[in-house]
Amino acid sequence: KDGPFVEFVQHVVAPLLARLVGVHLEVQVRKRGFHDNSGEVLAQVSAARWPLPAFDLLDQGSAARVMGFAFRSLGVDEGVMPRFREGQLKKNKPAGAEVALRDVLPNVPLEWRSSEEETKSGNDGCGVMIVIETTSGCRLAGDSLGRRSTPAEKVGDEAVRAAHAALTAGTCADDALRDWLLVLMALAEGTSRLFIGKGKPTEHIAAGTRLVQRFGAVV
């Protein structure tokens, strides 16, 4: 997988763009591409002002709700969808996204959205994305793509663990979102601030910082 799912743009990036800098982004999926890069989306973007305003994203807040997104193509066994949420591994051990969430965020409300997509020529796939929305409006995402020989329950668990890792790190934006925000910060007028969590910045963050510096941003 080369990047986050399209649901990430729709349900993480777009709401933050609207809230932070007044940019309206609407993304419609015409066809999901899965593995052959044949997907099609229609994106409409408008900005209330230009240059974009500076922004601060410094307070992570606490977990307020969780959104789960599950999808499969029609060539994938329909049984994976409920198993993404909860099923059993060997020795009848419960597993899946909801089992993991009961472990790490037991009292946080959860809602699911599921989709099924038509495909052609065996271009099939499935996956799960988990988004943790916080009391301050941050949205932290984790996802996992279905693979052969990997139980659907493990895929759901992986998505939860990835999103929860961003929450426990204290950051206001997960790795994928930081890539978007660094570009916005470089384009915005004035000084923007983003809290990336405790500890030494990762190489991923450092690489993004070096990139925007090459375009004249002061970091």
Side-chain angles (χ1 to χ4, degrees):
K1 185 171 72 72
D2 295 326
F5 305 148
V6 67
E7 287 85 357
F8 178 81
V9 180
Q10 294 172 314
H11 300 285
V12 176
V13 176
L16 281 178
L17 289 181
R19 181 166 69 90
L20 295 176
V21 294
V23 170
H24 176 74
L25 171 62
E26 182 178 351
V27 178
Q28 298 177 355
V29 182
R30 291 184 168 179
K31 183 176 67 172
R32 195 182 288 270
F34 295 107
H35 303 292
D36 68 353
N37 298 317
S38 64
E40 296 179 9
V41 298
L42 175 64
Q44 296 178 302
V45 187
S46 60
R49 54 166 285 189
W50 191 267
L52 298 175
F55 64 88
D56 286 344
L57 195 56
L58 302 173
D59 177 22
Q60 185 194 69
S62 57
R65 69 167 176 155
V66 177
M67 294 173 281
F69 301 87
F71 65 87
R72 75 170 181 101
S73 64
L74 296 181
V76 174
D77 185 347
E78 64 181 359
V80 303
M81 298 294 272
R83 290 174 54 208
F84 282 148
R85 298 170 65 169
E86 183 166 355
Q88 292 184 337
L89 297 178
K90 294 181 180 179
K91 299 182 180 180
N92 296 323
K93 181 181 179 181
E98 293 189 8
V99 175
L101 284 167
R102 288 198 295 269
D103 177 35
V104 298
L105 296 172
N107 300 313
V108 178
L110 167 65
E111 61 184 71
W112 281 98
R113 302 180 191 182
S114 301
S115 63
E116 297 179 336
E117 316 284 343
E118 294 186 1
T119 53
K120 296 181 180 180
S121 303
N123 178 34
D124 291 300
C126 58
V128 179
M129 182 179 77
I130 297 294
V131 179
I132 301 172
E133 184 174 26
T134 72
T135 51
S136 65
C138 294
R139 293 192 175 192
L140 307 170
D143 61 41
S144 183
L145 194 64
R147 289 97 65 198
R148 292 184 184 275
S149 75
T150 300
E153 295 86 352
K154 181 174 176 57
V155 174
D157 181 271
E158 290 172 346
V160 170
R161 303 296 175 183
H164 188 251
L167 181 70
T168 56
T171 182
C172 292
D174 56 65
D175 278 347
L177 182 59
R178 282 194 289 261
D179 290 343
W180 288 76
L181 294 182
L182 282 172
V183 174
L184 288 179
M185 295 170 78
L187 293 173
E189 185 177 40
T191 300
S192 296
R193 298 183 296 170
L194 170 64
F195 184 63
I196 59 174
K198 302 175 182 178
K200 184 179 179 180
T202 65
E203 178 54 34
H204 188 91
I205 299 171
T209 301
R210 289 194 296 270
L211 177 62
V212 297
Q213 286 175 325
R214 293 186 64 179
F215 286 90
V218 178
V219 180

